[in-house]
Amino acid sequence: MTTRFEHNVADTRYEIYLDDTLAGYADYSEHADGDRRTRDFQHTLTFPEFRGRGVAAQVVEFALRDAREAGFSVIPTCWYVEKFIAEHREYADMVGS
């Protein structure tokens, strides 16, 4: 099984594909206040047929890495993103308001 990640800028979400089938995504809204740029992660979804495979964790980690590389702080409005950051403290420094 192949795994592919995409940042779908037009739909403001990060997507994960398993064997070229969309398996889930994490969507966000983007905010800017001067030089400060923030991505508010609002919802994470794994389609039912892909649940139990760590899909959500993989797409959230990809999204957080990409946001960090692009210089964004994050707001974990989505409960799953908040939980992921609590369990992976290496991303805690990204949380802003």
Side-chain angles (χ1 to χ4, degrees):
M1 180 169 288
T2 61
T3 302
R4 177 172 47 94
F5 299 97
E6 287 189 12
H7 181 191
N8 183 336
V9 177
D11 290 334
T12 59
R13 69 184 193 183
Y14 289 90
E15 302 169 336
I16 181 171
Y17 292 82
L18 299 179
D19 287 340
D20 293 324
T21 301
L22 181 62
Y25 59 84
D27 64 11
Y28 65 90
S29 61
E30 211 167 89
H31 311 280
D33 183 16
D35 290 340
R36 182 183 166 131
R37 300 182 314 153
T38 305
R39 286 192 178 144
D40 181 352
F41 286 92
Q42 300 167 338
H43 184 70
T44 303
L45 178 123
T46 301
F47 292 105
E49 62 271 29
F50 297 102
R51 291 186 181 146
R53 301 185 196 182
V55 167
Q58 291 177 69
V59 74
V60 167
E61 185 163 28
F62 173 73
L64 292 173
R65 285 183 182 174
D66 185 72
R68 173 175 274 152
E69 288 174 12
F72 285 88
S73 63
V74 299
I75 299 170
T77 300
C78 170
W79 70 267
Y80 185 83
V81 175
E82 182 179 40
K83 178 179 180 258
F84 184 90
I85 292 171
E87 293 173 355
H88 299 85
R89 300 304 298 164
E90 64 268 28
Y91 298 105
D93 65 308
M94 295 179 67
V95 177
S97 56

